[in-house]
Amino acid sequence: MRDVAIIGAGMIPFGHREEDSLTDMLARASLHALDDAGLGESTVDGLYVANAGGGLFQRQFAIASSLADRLSLLPAAAETIENGPASGSSALKMGYLAIASGFHDTVLVSGGEKMRVGPIRRITDMVAAMTHPQAEYPYGVTMPGLGGMFARLYMEKYGVTDEHLLAVSLKNHEMGARNPFAHIRSVATRRDIFDGEMAEINNPILADPLRLYDLCPVSDGAAALVLSTVEIAKASGKPYVTIAGIGQATDTHTLAERDAPTELRAVTLAAQRAFEMARLTPADIHIAELHDAFTILEIAASECVGFFPRGRGGQAAAEGETALGGRIPINMSGGLKTRGHPMGATGVAQAVDIVWQLRHELPADRQVQNARAGLTLNFGGFANNVLCFIFKQGDA
Amino acid sequence: MSAPAPLPLYRCAHCGRLHHPFHDRCLDCKRRDFDIIHPQGNARLLTYTVIVSLPEGFDQPALILGLAEFENGARALGQIKAGSAKELRTGMAVASRWETIRFVNGQPIHGIKFEPLE
Ligand SMILES: [Zn+2]
């Protein structure tokens, strides 16, 4: 297997992009990545497009073929990759494999989703369609509903408190406010959403015990990466990042059938496999982007990947260990919580943020000093298909 | 007292593992023969939530859902018949009923409804 480099990264601001089509967003993010890689007027060997819901949301499929044409990448090979909310990470994995195997030398990975396409009840229903079609979906369960049931169990078992969830939410709002690519750019205060007289109104319970400020928004957005061999990256003379480890694991479709519904076994396994491949340990990671579709998941995942012992993640967040300047800064993009979670874009966007961190390109209010290794964790479904990536500075 | 909900449980004919929903191969031993049985007795509520942002297809303002474990160890998701979350706590005994859980194109769909027994 050949080593694989990331030589270009691009993103468009997430949010409600009413004026853009799905292809518009994918094309714009892709052009940013191609320009960043210095390939503005050349092509790539292959294109992997991550999209989960175009068939449902836009009545559009075969999206990669459409994007290859829009971007004048012809006759590059092109595929659309669907793996629910982890589609972006899966597309990145396919791009990695294409180069590592020697099949391609340069690849564009582009992820996007246009989700704000109608009344929230309809969108909630379309997203819930990833739950089990007999044992979950007919009951009216939603992804936040699964998150609420998981949160109650996890909080009871491990002593995670509302204060811990609040700490994650406040941090991710603060970082989102500093991130020009984030969907939600407002700082929340403890008084606004927790103990002020308007807190119950500002921050209502949506999926008990989870509240509005515990859940990611519904967003449109896109992000893209250009991958190449390390030889091509070196020849470019520009800073690059390498993909040092990839791990992936699946778990039961239903939450009910897991031996212990609080154990995110696929997260633990995916991280272990990524660390094994990278020959690194959690202590070697300087910055992480974790799948915080719900605040409780950032806490649980920070334990499963090995940053904190089981039951310590909530307290660690409350003590600032996951904030900028803390022991292991998590979600300095604002995470899914505030950058947003356009499903096909998320895994790619997480990687783009880590690339920017490892190239030390971010403004001081988001940049983790001396970051040389980063990690991303992305869920497809409720932790039933999980990908973990480890990235290193090109010359690290 | 009425019988528990006739939820189909798939018991591996080789190792005895209970499954719901159906899998083509046993999650433990990978073999393919199952006996269909049904839950016995009451269940214990493992966790629950109240969702107020409901998907299309539900008309009520909120929906209470929970995971419960039956006496034989099988677990399932169901709707919960309660006025509010205040009536619930984890670990409490619940009965299971087989009732209409939603309507699709005007037709009732049946599934599990748990009812608090305390
Ligand atoms: Zn078996």
Side-chain angles (χ1 to χ4, degrees), chain A residues 119-122 124-125 128 132 134-142 144-146 148-153 156 205-210 252-261, chain B residues 7 17-23 27 46-60 63 65-67 75-79 85 90 98 101-102 109-113:
Chain A
I120 186 69
R121 285 160 54 84
R122 187 172 306 154
T124 300
D125 178 56
H132 195 284
Q134 284 87 40
E136 292 178 333
Y137 176 80
Y139 290 90
V141 77
T142 59
L146 290 175
M149 287 189 282
F150 175 82
R152 185 181 305 284
L153 274 177
E156 279 189 8
I205 288 181
L206 292 188
D208 186 29
L210 300 178
T252 60
H253 194 168
T254 67
L255 192 58
E257 274 205 308
R258 298 183 190 166
D259 294 338
Chain B
L7 179 78
R17 172 160 177 157
L18 283 174
H19 303 75
H20 175 79
F22 175 74
H23 303 260
L27 286 176
L46 295 177
T47 183
Y48 56 91
T49 187
V50 185
I51 54 175
V52 296
S53 182
L54 268 56
E56 218 166 38
F58 289 85
D59 290 331
Q60 65 266 49
L63 187 59
L65 296 163
L67 292 185
R75 295 196 207 118
L77 173 73
Q79 294 178 356
T90 56
W98 195 249
I101 52 168
R102 75 187 298 169
I109 306 291
H110 292 88
I112 295 182
K113 283 205 179 180

Side-chain angles (χ1 to χ4, degrees), chain A residues 7 33-44 106 226-227 232 238:
Chain A
I7 58 170
L34 288 167
D35 287 343
D36 186 46
L39 297 178
E41 287 173 9
S42 45
T43 190
V44 291
T106 54
V226 179
L227 275 51
I232 291 174
K238 297 200 304 186

Side-chain angles (χ1 to χ4, degrees), chain B residues 4-105:
Chain B
L7 179 78
L9 301 177
Y10 305 90
R11 186 174 60 197
C12 174
H14 303 280
C15 75
R17 172 160 177 157
L18 283 174
H19 303 75
H20 175 79
F22 175 74
H23 303 260
D24 289 277
R25 302 199 300 161
C26 171
L27 286 176
D28 281 339
C29 75
K30 317 292 185 202
R31 296 176 77 171
R32 305 180 190 188
D33 309 301
F34 300 92
D35 301 315
I36 297 181
I37 63 166
H38 298 290
Q40 301 295 313
N42 293 321
R44 193 171 57 85
L45 188 62
L46 295 177
T47 183
Y48 56 91
T49 187
V50 185
I51 54 175
V52 296
S53 182
L54 268 56
E56 218 166 38
F58 289 85
D59 290 331
Q60 65 266 49
L63 187 59
I64 309 182
L65 296 163
L67 292 185
E69 184 169 301
F70 291 96
E71 286 170 9
N72 61 7
R75 295 196 207 118
L77 173 73
Q79 294 178 356
I80 302 180
K81 297 167 81 164
S84 83
K86 291 193 180 74
E87 298 168 29
L88 305 175
R89 60 175 176 76
T90 56
M92 78 188 302
V94 290
S96 62
R97 313 276 180 234
W98 195 249
E99 295 180 3
T100 300
I101 52 168
R102 75 187 298 169
F103 290 87
V104 174
N105 299 324

